[in-house]
Amino acid sequence: MARKVPEVNASSTADIAFLLLIFFLISTTMNVDTGLTRMLPPMPEKDQKQDDVEVKRRNIFTVLINKSDRLLVRGEPMDVQMLKEKTKEFIMNPNNDPNLSEIEEKEIPMIGRYRVSKGVVSLQNDRGTSYEMYMKVQNELVAAYNELREELSTSVFGKPYQKLSKEEKDAISKAIPLRISEAEPKNVGGK
Amino acid sequence: MATFKRKGKNEIQAISTASLPDIVFMLLFFFMVSTTMRETTLMVRTQLPEATEVSKLEKKSLVSYIYIGPPTKQFQALFGTEPRIQLNDSFKTLDDIRDFIASEREAMKEEDKPLLTTSLKIDKDTRMGIVTDVKQELRKASALKIVYAARKAE
């Protein structure tokens, strides 16, 4: 007759596993980092002459934020909610309005002839502007570009921008280049 | 005549807990793979603003973090409530940013160096003054790729 092996008491394994589990619960985080990606302009060389690139006035979409978080868009006060629509209108310029951005017909691979805008969005803020407002404005501007790209993507390729291949994405970003520039900081309203 | 025999005492069988460790281990492994270790202890409050157009940060090894915000409660007696810059584990000034970027670059592989991304975790009540200063310092250090950290708004 085979000898019975005595059973090992395993009731403490659960306790050990719980200890490990609790350790991991408190010492780790689960958050995924998200954010708005942006490129800063390189610092101008010291001996380089400050020759501003000539951009015609009609091609600049100036957005100013003052220290009490108010918006001034092309000389007119505006609400944040309106900003996205105005930006889209400025970039696309559907009716060839001489006040909005210049349009240039260009040949783009995979899309064909497309009216590429020369418009530049220029964002300027004050030292006293709150970061929350600044992010709201940044977000609206990016949203305007993203929506235009989304529209072009669905009309040309028939699928959303996220599902495009690399070449198709490149073609779209050539047709609608993201041009948001931040002016050199100025200190107007104090701290 | 049939008699009902009592089987000794009416003892309740002990419930087997042998599978309990397995269940807990499963939970443990889930947490081990889905979380990351806390790298720095935050000494500033960073309540991120919300945005709808956010994108995910892809490679975490290429990212270095700059935190800006008012110091947390236990540091307020020492450092006040004005927003301050935190690099790694301590409060730093604007002048330290260039050294910080240089040391972050040094720690990276040669082919990854141009991909260095700086994530700015800034409290939403911060004024833009300090943010602009930090951005100027980053430009001087030619760390041009930045991410404004934000929460995804639904």
Side-chain angles (χ1 to χ4, degrees):
Chain A
M1 201 179 121
R3 255 174 124 205
K4 250 193 198 162
V5 182
E7 221 173 277
V8 181
N9 187 4
S11 59
S12 55
T13 5
D15 302 356
I16 297 165
F18 263 121
L19 275 175
L20 278 169
L21 176 65
I22 290 160
F23 167 71
F24 269 92
L25 277 174
I26 57 166
S27 68
T28 58
T29 52
M30 217 174 182
N31 53 355
V32 199
D33 274 337
T34 51
L36 296 177
T37 319
R38 205 31 47 87
M39 285 296 276
L40 291 172
M43 211 66 182
E45 303 278 329
K46 274 216 178 77
D47 47 341
Q48 189 188 320
K49 226 178 22 170
Q50 269 286 15
D51 52 350
D52 282 303
V53 188
E54 266 305 310
V55 185
K56 277 192 204 156
R57 262 195 67 143
R58 61 175 283 196
N59 284 336
I60 313 174
F61 188 77
T62 45
V63 180
L64 303 165
I65 323 170
N66 75 356
K67 68 170 180 177
S68 41
D69 289 352
R70 296 241 169 75
L71 274 180
L72 195 73
V73 180
R74 303 197 109 191
E76 282 167 42
M78 193 181 283
D79 211 50
V80 201
Q81 275 86 29
M82 295 281 293
L83 187 62
K84 189 165 78 184
E85 285 310 313
K86 283 277 174 205
T87 315
K88 280 170 79 175
E89 191 190 338
F90 167 77
I91 302 164
M92 288 319 286
N93 193 5
N95 305 324
N96 278 323
D97 190 323
N99 286 320
L100 300 179
S101 71
E102 264 181 286
I103 299 287
E104 193 183 17
E105 287 252 341
K106 264 192 198 162
E107 191 71 34
I108 288 161
M110 303 182 80
I111 295 179
R113 293 193 74 75
Y114 189 76
R115 302 163 68 242
V116 181
S117 166
K118 283 184 177 173
V120 178
V121 176
S122 165
L123 176 61
Q124 204 171 342
N125 62 275
D126 193 78
R127 290 185 69 86
T129 311
S130 83
Y131 182 63
E132 192 176 16
M133 186 64 189
Y134 175 76
M135 280 298 281
K136 239 186 232 164
V137 171
Q138 282 266 14
N139 189 49
E140 290 301 307
L141 294 176
V142 178
Y145 276 101
N146 281 354
E147 271 184 26
L148 288 175
R149 286 182 174 183
E150 197 69 52
E151 279 165 24
L152 183 66
S153 156
T154 38
S155 69
V156 176
F157 301 113
K159 49 187 170 179
Y161 183 70
Q162 280 303 320
K163 294 217 170 104
L164 297 183
S165 70
K166 181 114 195 353
E167 292 86 50
E168 288 168 332
K169 272 188 186 171
D170 281 349
I172 296 264
S173 53
K174 263 204 196 100
I176 304 172
L178 187 111
R179 289 208 193 101
I180 301 175
S181 87
E182 282 175 62
E184 290 289 324
K186 283 184 187 142
N187 194 359
V188 191
K191 206 168 175 227
Chain B
M1 209 169 111
T3 47
F4 291 99
K5 241 190 215 165
R6 278 192 121 180
K7 275 193 206 154
K9 264 186 195 161
N10 216 358
E11 233 176 71
I12 303 165
Q13 281 261 299
I15 300 165
S16 167
T17 53
S19 55
L20 184 61
D22 302 357
I23 297 164
V24 181
F25 266 117
M26 249 163 48
L27 272 172
L28 176 64
F29 287 136
F30 167 71
F31 275 97
M32 278 171 78
V33 294
S34 64
T35 59
T36 49
M37 277 283 173
R38 245 182 255 271
E39 279 148 34
T40 46
T41 38
L42 275 183
M43 293 152 84
V44 294
R45 187 194 70 193
T46 53
Q47 244 207 42
L48 300 177
E50 283 192 348
T52 51
E53 308 297 316
V54 293
S55 51
K56 258 190 206 166
L57 272 180
E58 309 255 301
K59 276 196 180 165
K60 283 219 171 147
S61 57
L62 304 176
V63 183
S64 42
Y65 296 93
I66 294 178
Y67 304 92
I68 303 172
T72 45
K73 275 253 166 62
Q74 71 255 43
F75 296 107
Q76 274 181 8
L78 241 73
F79 297 101
T81 50
E82 275 300 298
R84 293 186 62 109
I85 305 163
Q86 184 193 346
L87 304 171
N88 289 331
D89 272 328
S90 54
F91 288 115
K92 289 283 161 70
T93 57
L94 278 174
D95 305 323
D96 297 317
I97 288 181
R98 256 186 277 183
D99 290 340
F100 170 71
I101 293 293
S103 67
E104 289 285 313
R105 272 229 182 88
E106 209 51 52
M108 286 164 83
K109 273 186 274 170
E110 198 58 54
E111 67 263 30
D112 287 343
K113 278 181 186 172
L115 298 173
L116 175 81
T117 312
T118 317
S119 174
L120 301 172
K121 294 206 166 180
I122 304 171
D123 189 79
K124 62 181 180 183
D125 293 329
T126 313
R127 300 277 130 192
M128 279 305 286
I130 189 166
V131 183
T132 313
D133 291 342
V134 169
K135 270 158 62 185
Q136 287 300 94
E137 284 299 317
L138 287 176
R139 282 177 69 188
K140 281 181 202 156
S142 59
L144 299 178
K145 215 173 161 204
I146 59 167
V147 172
Y148 298 110
R151 279 179 299 131
K152 175 113 179 99
E154 295 307 323

